[in-house]
């Protein structure tokens, strides 16, 4: 029971960091929206919802996958429609990678990467996962769960999160171990035994009939992403051809996009990591307003409203939304407004 509870807690933390990493990279746009509350349906009319269904629930946007021959009476009563392509990733353009965000989930260390899809990087992540499991759980005894997750962003790119739980006293050592394992693998590549192990695992997977449902699903998923589906035999052949240098090179490329997620106030490692920016790159000028005397906002906070946008902040913090970069506004009948920028900053204005 204790093991199940620990695993459940670790999965909850990793899911929070999965959403957090996408939000930090993309803001409340396209792939980053998973981290934000879905507010559009609150204001959508019945006609708008029906129109969305008519344009999306179509044959052009659907794939039916089966593990057997379709029955002769099968019929899909869908309109023909047109294909709606997966949106291209739109990363926040002023973040310098590799970056570190030392304000993440307590008790977990994670590395987020965005990279060009390949079998080499998939194998690299599996080997890094296995090495970290050995180091952190079996040798150091500082982590219970080590795992990774991959999700495709479009036909050519993917996002991966590699994480490990840890107690507060082991955060810095766990951070250094995770970075060290990844850098060592990117520098020297896998051992011959590690490559052979993954080739053997790929052969077992390719011949395992219980994987048929997952393989068919993956083919359907690739089709919707606009990517030519690969069979398990194609994947096996690609893994069998891999060299250690190819695995190392793929990981080196991915590490250039590293976003290191650390518990609150954990020191950022020295060297190439830059702190994740906590303030917008531009602060608009304009008329400054004090908080109302009977409000619950601190006296030193100021709201600035100008021709280019709005900002709010105190002596040591600032947030801003430029009108040209505003991607959403929530409105209330009493005049309250909430503005969102594409890089995730939010301004709440209560007149």
């Amino acid at each position: 029971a204790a093991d199940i509870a620990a695993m459940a807690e670790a999965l909850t933390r990793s899911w929070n960091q999965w959403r957090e990493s996408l939000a930090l990279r993309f803001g409340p746009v396209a792939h980053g929206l998973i981290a934000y509350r879905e507010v559009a349906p609150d204001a959508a009319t019945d006609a708008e919802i029906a129109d969305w269904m008519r344009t999306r629930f179509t044959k052009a946007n659907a794939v039916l996958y089966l593990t057997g021959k379709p029955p002769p009476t099968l019929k899909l009563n869908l309109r023909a429609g047109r294909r709606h392509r997966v949106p291209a990733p739109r990363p926040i353009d002023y973040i310098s990678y590799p970056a570190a965000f030392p304000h993440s989930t307590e008790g977990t260390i994670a590395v987020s990467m965005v990279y060009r899809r390949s079998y080499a990087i998939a194998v690299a992540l599996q080997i890094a996962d296995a090495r970290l499991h050995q180091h952190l759980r079996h040798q150091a005894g500082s982590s219970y769960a080590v795992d990774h997750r991959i999700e495709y962003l479009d036909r050519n790119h993917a996002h991966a999160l590699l994480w490990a739980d840890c107690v507060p006293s082991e955060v810095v050592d766990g951070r250094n171990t995770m970075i060290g394992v990844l850098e060592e693998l990117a520098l020297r590549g896998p051992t011959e035994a590690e490559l052979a192990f993954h080739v053997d695992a790929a052969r077992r997977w390719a011949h395992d009939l219980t994987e048929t449902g997952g393989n068919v699903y993956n083919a359907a998923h690739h089709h919707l992403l606009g990517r030519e589906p690969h069979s398990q035999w194609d994947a096996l052949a690609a893994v069998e051809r891999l060299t250690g240098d190819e695995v190392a090179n793929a990981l080196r490329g991915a590490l250039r996009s590293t976003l290191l997620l650390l518990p609150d106030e954990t020191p950022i490692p020295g060297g190439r990591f830059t702190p994740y920016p906590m303030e917008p790159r531009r602060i608009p000028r304009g008329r400054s307003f004090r908080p109302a005397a009977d409000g619950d906002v601190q006296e030193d906070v100021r709201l600035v409203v100008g021709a280019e946008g709005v900002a709010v902040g105190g002596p040591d913090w600032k947030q801003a939304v430029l009108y040209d970069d505003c991607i959403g506004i929530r409105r209330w009948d009493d005049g309250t407004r909430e503005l969102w920028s594409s890089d995730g900053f939010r301004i709440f204005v209560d007149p």
Side-chain angles (χ1 to χ4, degrees):
D3 285 353
I4 294 174
M7 291 177 65
E9 183 179 359
L11 287 171
T12 299
R13 290 173 178 171
S14 66
W15 175 238
N16 290 338
Q17 288 189 307
W18 177 261
R19 294 181 296 181
E20 182 179 59
S21 62
L22 289 169
L24 291 171
R25 287 183 177 278
F26 300 107
V29 179
H31 298 87
L33 283 171
I34 190 174
Y36 297 86
R37 178 174 173 265
E38 186 65 72
V39 297
D42 295 342
T45 65
D46 291 347
E48 289 171 333
I49 294 173
D51 181 65
W52 193 93
M53 293 172 60
R54 279 194 297 269
T55 57
R56 267 71 174 184
F57 295 172
T58 64
K59 292 180 181 179
N61 285 320
V63 175
L64 176 66
Y65 63 96
L66 305 93
T67 58
K69 185 178 180 180
T73 57
L74 177 65
K75 183 178 182 181
L76 300 180
N77 294 317
L78 296 174
R79 295 181 177 87
R82 68 177 182 85
R83 172 68 63 88
H84 287 263
R85 300 294 178 184
V86 174
R90 293 172 53 187
I92 299 171
D93 60 8
Y94 60 86
I95 300 172
S96 178
Y97 294 103
F101 180 74
H103 310 285
S104 189
T105 306
E106 189 70 22
T108 310
I109 311 161
V111 168
S112 160
M113 293 175 280
V114 171
Y115 52 85
R116 191 167 185 86
R117 293 173 55 181
S118 70
Y119 290 108
I121 186 62
V123 169
L125 290 170
Q126 292 169 3
I127 293 173
D129 187 316
R131 288 187 180 184
L132 281 169
H133 191 88
Q134 181 66 26
H135 280 288
L136 294 176
R137 179 165 182 176
H138 297 297
Q139 294 180 8
S142 60
S143 178
Y144 184 88
V146 178
D147 210 339
H148 74 283
R149 175 181 177 182
I150 297 172
E151 184 174 71
Y152 305 137
L153 300 176
D154 60 16
R155 62 182 295 175
N156 294 319
H157 299 89
H159 170 242
L161 187 75
L162 181 66
W163 72 85
D165 64 347
C166 62
V167 295
S169 61
E170 302 288 344
V171 167
V172 173
D173 287 343
R175 177 204 71 185
N176 294 342
T177 298
M178 182 170 286
I179 295 171
V181 164
L182 290 168
E183 291 182 342
E184 173 75 11
L185 182 57
L187 178 65
R188 302 185 184 279
T191 65
E192 291 185 5
E194 286 172 327
L195 267 185
F197 175 86
H198 286 282
V199 169
D200 186 59
R203 288 170 180 157
R204 292 197 304 271
W205 161 75
H207 290 86
D208 188 350
L209 294 180
T210 65
E211 298 287 348
T212 301
N215 295 336
V216 177
Y217 166 79
N218 286 333
H221 190 192
H222 286 166
H223 176 76
L224 289 176
L225 289 173
R227 188 179 178 92
E228 186 67 26
H230 285 193
S231 71
Q232 69 267 38
W233 310 113
D234 296 324
L236 173 58
V239 172
E240 288 176 331
R241 290 193 300 267
L242 280 179
T243 66
D245 286 343
E246 289 172 331
V247 172
N249 289 336
L251 184 57
R252 276 200 298 273
L255 287 178
R256 287 194 284 269
S257 70
T258 294
L259 175 59
L260 181 62
L261 303 176
L262 300 168
D264 203 31
E265 303 306 323
T266 302
I268 295 175
R272 67 187 189 282
F273 284 92
T274 59
Y276 186 90
M278 300 302 294
E279 293 189 356
R281 58 180 169 179
R282 288 179 56 195
I283 306 295
R285 297 181 178 181
R287 184 179 176 185
S288 179
F289 295 88
R290 297 173 179 269
D294 58 350
D296 57 359
V297 180
Q298 295 179 354
E299 292 184 0
D300 56 1
V301 173
R302 295 292 181 269
L303 171 69
V304 175
V305 180
E308 292 184 315
V310 295
V312 66
D316 56 358
W317 64 276
K318 293 179 178 63
Q319 294 194 29
V321 176
L322 301 176
Y323 299 137
D324 289 345
D325 196 36
C326 182
I327 51 90
I329 300 176
R330 297 179 71 193
R331 300 177 295 176
W332 286 263
D333 293 340
D334 64 357
T336 301
R337 299 289 187 271
E338 185 183 46
L339 292 79
W340 287 85
S341 64
S342 65
D343 53 359
F345 289 99
R346 179 185 66 162
I347 302 292
F348 191 83
V349 182
D350 181 358

